[in-house]
Amino acid sequence: MHIPTITAPSVAIAGTTDRFPVRRIFCVGQNYADHAREMGSDPDRQEPFFFSKPADAVVENGSTLPFPPQTRDLHHEVELVIALGAGGKNIAVADAPATIFGAAVGIDLTRRDLQAAAKAIGRPWDMAKGFDRSAPIGAITPGAPAASGGIALTVDGETRQSGDLSMMIWSVPEIIATLSTFVELAPGDLIFTGTPAGVGPIRPGQSVSATIDGFETLRVTFAA
């Protein structure tokens, strides 16, 4: 039997032809107070929680995507994505910035109807969050990101999400430190750090643009 050859997923690095190899993708849930409230949660009482996407869910900037199957309620969630160049376990908050290779703009695509159905009966979110091409990401800019800066998303030019990185409940170093108590982090890991309020539906044929101050704009279009 022929052994398959698999190409490791990777993400562009701004200003170079080099690529950043993706090992794993972790995501923080409800890390902006306004988004937590719009999802029916109390942001003042929740510890960080995490879910995952497969590494090959990454999508290149500028792609045209097939509309995902099995959903009638696909949602956008613009996020700051952290790319790790080093790892470890039980990382101290003060040491966390040294693990960062760079950062980028990402979109956590969510089949919201599937997520709601899973929540209602206590099942995992995997098929709602970790489906094919569910993690568009722009080029990674090397270096640790600023703690503040505008973050926004438009659909066909209409602003849907607009906030600031300073609105995060848990900072990037705190996210890295907390996640490292659950798993041993490693170079190549990506961390989606949460989304501000305004998440909403995407329809076939629509174009989505995601921005964070200082980073390459991320654009994807969904086939009609």
Side-chain angles (χ1 to χ4, degrees), residues 108-181:
D108 168 15
L109 293 174
T110 303
R111 294 194 279 203
R112 191 71 72 200
D113 44 359
L114 271 64
Q115 184 186 38
K119 282 182 176 181
I121 54 177
R123 289 183 177 175
W125 295 2
D126 296 60
M127 294 300 100
K129 289 286 192 177
F131 53 96
D132 296 337
R133 296 173 289 274
S134 60
I137 181 172
I140 295 169
T141 297
S148 63
I151 177 171
L153 180 141
T154 64
V155 177
D156 287 347
E158 174 193 354
T159 299
R160 294 279 191 86
Q161 295 182 264
S162 182
D164 195 279
L165 299 178
S166 62
M167 297 165 64
M168 286 187 187
I169 298 171
W170 301 93
S171 69
V172 168
E174 289 170 333
I175 290 167
I176 294 170
T178 301
L179 182 56
S180 76
T181 68

